[in-house]
Amino acid sequence: VRHAVILAGGSGTRLWPASRRRQPKQFLPLAPGGETLLGGTVRRARAVTDKVVVVTAADQADATLAAAPGVALLAEPAPRNTALAIGLAAVHLAHADPDAVLGVLPADHHVGDEARLAAAQELAFGAAERHDVICTIGIRPTRPETGFGYVELGTDEVEPGVTAVRAFLEKPDAATATRFVADGRHLWNAGMFFARAARIIDDIRNLLPQTAAVLDGVAGALAAEGPVAAADAAVRLYPGAPSVSFDTGIMERTTGRVVVPADVGWNDVGSWAALRDVRGTDPDGNTIIGDAVALDAGNNVIATDPGTMVAVVGVDDLIVVRSGDAVIVLPRSRAQDVRRVVEELARRGKDGYL
Amino acid sequence: VRHAVILAGGSGTRLWPASRRRQPKQFLPLAPGGETLLGGTVRRARAVTDKVVVVTAADQADATLAAAPGVALLAEPAPRNTALAIGLAAVHLAHADPDAVLGVLPADHHVGDEARLAAAQELAFGAAERHDVICTIGIRPTRPETGFGYVELGTDEVEPGVTAVRAFLEKPDAATATRFVADGRHLWNAGMFFARAARIIDDIRNLLPQTAAVLDGVAGALAAEGPVAAADAAVRLYPGAPSVSFDTGIMERTTGRVVVPADVGWNDVGSWAALRDVRGTDPDGNTIIGDAVALDAGNNVIATDPGTMVAVVGVDDLIVVRSGDAVIVLPRSRAQDVRRVVEELARRGKDGYL
């Protein structure tokens, strides 16, 4: 049976001041219509399967249920990256359903073309069911992005629309990224993975023995005493677990990897500048979330809380965001420097703003 | 006896969003050390006389007393500009003290050199006591400002440091203002006027008969029945009173005008850009009121409420202000366009932000 596993453990700082330690990106109403990224991910997942579980931090369970009412939760006692989070979901789902097939989806991305995504997920689930593979959905790159990992296409087509993977590649330098876009053989790794639970557990056992030991402890408690004992085992074992990403720990090293190349309007919402693509622009090129006045001002990204106002006059290509007790202003071209502000606030001990 | 009469009726919009309909400029903590402009004006007035009265709108009495505890108030039932406000003060002070000499001071300006201001006020009060004149303090212009009225110097020196006035002039065009700065014969009209109460009442009677009729009604009630009856008379008579400024109605037309030229670090705080001169700049050229982080950013004016944070990265020569439920961002060179934002908000019916 197909299960969507949504990973909602992130704690990004690149959308400060809207994203905070206690309010990561997936809980922000950034998608069109004010939907949260998590809410949109859950809704898109439900379009392909009625079995949806969200893996979340224990202290974000309430926020998760607020953004995605009625969803099943699997709470992690500490953040230990995606290999363990995906493994934990595989253990739990395999316990209840030995034939479980997982479709792993990040909670904090946006997808514009939901019909195409559903079709790609259908192909990916099918490939994972019919072959002993881990299938990913690869996004055709539109720019030489150095912030993403890449999937290098192989030559064999396993099924129509499903191609063998030659390599999973870490974030490239600019020259390499430019080559990747030009050669047409490289796709963005969007962090979506489809595989049978048993296959995931086997890969972790073979490639990440320390992670596997944690999962074995949880699985043993689950089999012997049930979910409460499994949660207790996780609380006991997580602190000593290594932090390894599924990309690095498994996908770069395993065999039997396939990819569905897809053009689904994917956006990782990795900065305020990315909001332009997610939310679109008005006739002046401004992207506005909330209540704003823009006079002689174009190509800005403006966001403010409900019940508050941002006014700009005579400025172009700026990001202006007001959220809660903080405001940030910086050029769109320097959207990544939000991180520097967060670092500076931490350096000054202004933790209340983080 | 010398009385300082502080006019606190203004309702400027040029410092939006800090200045609002219910919170005019004089109540804002813009002076160094977070003093309000009104509080600073009262403090400077007390340096030259212990008799200080603030003329304020009736609905701003509480805010006035919060900014200037213990001050005497004279409340106007409606705003009718400065000729009537000054006349009302003259009537009340003359009733209690037939020899009252008034020093009229705007509540919402800043003065950097308080010792020089005190010396200039001493000269101005003295001239008003010894001669049948209205004396003003004229500020030596430092730029061809078109937003102020000017005082044209005459040739006679009435007393040492006190010169006859040839003309009071309205706001000039740019070419005229440039000539005024160059010729050394023109000073900024800072709205400070010193004269005996009886002289002010006589001038109003001669030049502004409608205004005089209102004042006669108030004075009659005051003489016959006391201050409560005088307040009732004001409530009855103010709605029909004309709105005339003391500058236009009296100073441009009366005779016996003298001026004390002075260099007192005067600033009308007429825009956010003016904050640079009032509050100074840090080594990066930034003027910061409140808690801010500025990275690779210079020559900005940044203001935010206590307990809130503004962060800027990679921007220069901007005004960034957060106050209450609103934020404004615009270039320093366009500081006057704050008014356009206020107009646009009114046009959209967003009165809650005004």
Side-chain angles (χ1 to χ4, degrees):
Chain A
V1 179
R2 297 176 181 182
H3 300 260
V5 175
I6 296 172
L7 303 184
S11 62
T13 57
R14 291 180 291 177
L15 296 185
W16 186 89
S19 66
R20 308 276 180 120
R21 284 180 181 160
R22 296 214 176 85
Q23 172 146 305
K25 191 175 70 171
Q26 61 267 22
F27 299 127
L28 304 180
L30 299 174
E35 191 178 36
T36 65
L37 297 176
L38 173 60
T41 304
V42 168
R43 189 176 45 72
R44 293 190 301 268
R46 284 178 173 152
V48 295
T49 174
D50 61 354
K51 303 204 175 297
V52 178
V53 60
V54 177
V55 185
T56 187
D59 59 4
Q60 290 176 356
D62 290 351
T64 300
L65 288 171
V71 84
L73 293 190
L74 193 52
E76 292 192 286
R80 285 296 179 274
N81 217 326
T82 50
L84 186 51
I86 293 170
L88 185 73
V91 162
H92 275 269
L93 294 175
H95 173 73
D97 170 12
D99 294 322
V101 184
L102 277 60
V104 176
L105 306 166
D108 59 351
H109 296 168
H110 176 69
V111 171
D113 191 334
E114 302 192 354
R116 283 201 194 180
L117 178 71
Q121 288 180 323
E122 179 64 36
L123 286 176
F125 266 124
E129 286 165 345
R130 289 186 288 273
H131 307 275
D132 181 23
V133 295
I134 303 182
C135 183
T136 187
I137 293 175
I139 310 298
R140 296 185 202 285
T142 53
R143 60 181 188 273
E145 176 65 52
T146 59
F148 303 151
Y150 283 72
V151 180
E152 183 181 359
L153 287 168
T155 47
D156 295 344
E157 200 168 60
V158 181
E159 296 189 359
V162 185
T163 305
V165 167
R166 184 184 172 92
F168 266 75
L169 303 163
E170 288 190 20
K171 296 173 185 178
D173 60 26
T176 307
T178 301
R179 184 163 56 77
F180 285 175
V181 176
D183 70 14
R185 305 294 305 162
H186 291 83
L187 305 171
W188 285 337
N189 170 13
M192 296 187 253
F193 305 109
F194 299 77
R196 287 181 295 104
R199 159 75 196 236
I200 289 169
I201 295 166
D202 283 351
D203 268 6
I204 292 175
R205 181 161 292 120
N206 292 334
L207 298 170
L208 302 173
Q210 286 182 279
T211 301
V214 173
L215 294 177
D216 284 345
V218 172
L222 185 61
E225 302 174 71
V228 173
D232 288 347
V235 167
R236 197 173 65 247
L237 296 167
Y238 256 70
S243 176
V244 186
S245 79
F246 195 77
D247 306 58
T248 306
I250 303 295
M251 294 308 292
E252 290 182 10
R253 300 157 65 196
T254 190
T255 55
R257 302 166 299 186
V258 300
V259 61
V260 177
D263 231 345
V264 299
W266 175 82
N267 191 308
D268 82 326
V269 199
S271 75
W272 287 114
L275 260 284
R276 275 167 70 84
D277 295 322
V278 173
R279 297 289 293 249
T281 54
D282 68 16
D284 295 322
N286 293 314
T287 300
I288 295 176
I289 299 178
D291 211 358
V293 167
L295 304 175
D296 304 339
N299 299 311
N300 301 286
V301 175
I302 301 171
T304 192
D305 297 327
T308 72
M309 162 67 59
V310 169
V312 300
V313 184
V315 295
D316 298 307
D317 297 300
L318 283 186
I319 293 164
V320 179
V321 177
R322 174 209 171 104
S323 183
D325 55 10
V327 172
I328 194 165
V329 178
L330 74 173
R332 277 205 294 130
S333 60
R334 299 185 65 162
Q336 298 299 338
D337 283 346
V338 169
R339 207 175 303 196
R340 289 182 57 203
V341 170
V342 172
E343 289 164 5
E344 177 66 14
L345 289 170
R347 198 186 65 75
R348 294 189 190 178
K350 303 262 183 193
D351 287 24
Y353 294 114
L354 300 179
Chain B
V1 179
R2 296 178 180 181
H3 299 260
V5 174
I6 296 173
L7 302 184
S11 64
T13 57
R14 291 180 291 176
L15 295 185
W16 187 90
S19 67
R20 308 275 181 122
R21 283 180 181 161
R22 295 214 177 85
Q23 172 147 305
K25 193 176 68 170
Q26 62 265 24
F27 299 127
L28 304 179
L30 299 174
E35 190 178 37
T36 64
L37 297 176
L38 173 59
T41 304
V42 169
R43 189 176 45 70
R44 293 190 301 269
R46 284 179 173 151
V48 295
T49 174
D50 60 354
K51 302 205 174 299
V52 179
V53 60
V54 178
V55 184
T56 187
D59 59 5
Q60 290 175 354
D62 289 351
T64 300
L65 288 172
V71 84
L73 292 190
L74 193 51
E76 293 193 285
R80 285 296 179 275
N81 216 327
T82 50
L84 186 50
I86 293 170
L88 184 73
V91 162
H92 275 269
L93 295 175
H95 174 73
D97 170 13
D99 294 322
V101 183
L102 275 60
V104 176
L105 307 167
D108 58 351
H109 296 169
H110 175 69
V111 171
D113 191 334
E114 302 191 355
R116 283 201 193 179
L117 177 71
Q121 288 180 323
E122 179 63 36
L123 285 176
F125 267 124
E129 287 164 345
R130 287 186 290 271
H131 307 276
D132 181 24
V133 296
I134 302 182
C135 184
T136 187
I137 294 176
I139 310 298
R140 294 185 203 286
T142 54
R143 59 181 188 276
E145 176 65 52
T146 58
F148 303 151
Y150 283 72
V151 180
E152 183 181 358
L153 287 169
T155 48
D156 296 343
E157 200 168 61
V158 181
E159 295 188 0
V162 184
T163 304
V165 167
R166 184 183 173 94
F168 265 76
L169 303 163
E170 287 190 22
K171 297 173 183 177
D173 61 26
T176 307
T178 301
R179 184 163 58 77
F180 285 175
V181 176
D183 69 16
R185 305 294 306 162
H186 292 83
L187 305 170
W188 286 337
N189 171 12
M192 297 187 254
F193 305 109
F194 299 76
R196 286 181 295 106
R199 160 76 195 235
I200 289 169
I201 294 167
D202 283 350
D203 268 5
I204 292 175
R205 182 160 292 121
N206 292 334
L207 298 170
L208 301 174
Q210 286 182 279
T211 302
V214 174
L215 294 177
D216 285 343
V218 173
L222 185 61
E225 303 175 69
V228 173
D232 288 346
V235 168
R236 197 174 64 247
L237 296 167
Y238 256 71
S243 176
V244 185
S245 78
F246 195 76
D247 306 59
T248 305
I250 304 295
M251 295 308 292
E252 291 181 10
R253 301 158 64 197
T254 190
T255 55
R257 301 166 300 187
V258 299
V259 60
V260 176
D263 229 346
V264 299
W266 176 82
N267 192 308
D268 82 326
V269 200
S271 75
W272 287 113
L275 260 284
R276 276 167 71 83
D277 295 322
V278 173
R279 297 290 292 250
T281 54
D282 69 15
D284 295 323
N286 293 313
T287 299
I288 297 176
I289 299 178
D291 211 357
V293 167
L295 304 175
D296 304 339
N299 300 313
N300 301 287
V301 174
I302 301 170
T304 191
D305 297 326
T308 72
M309 162 67 61
V310 168
V312 300
V313 184
V315 295
D316 298 307
D317 297 301
L318 283 187
I319 292 164
V320 180
V321 176
R322 174 209 172 105
S323 183
D325 55 10
V327 172
I328 194 165
V329 178
L330 74 173
R332 276 205 295 129
S333 60
R334 298 184 67 162
Q336 297 299 338
D337 283 346
V338 168
R339 207 177 304 197
R340 288 182 57 204
V341 170
V342 172
E343 289 164 3
E344 177 65 16
L345 289 170
R347 199 186 64 76
R348 294 189 191 178
K350 302 263 182 190
D351 287 22
Y353 295 114
L354 300 180

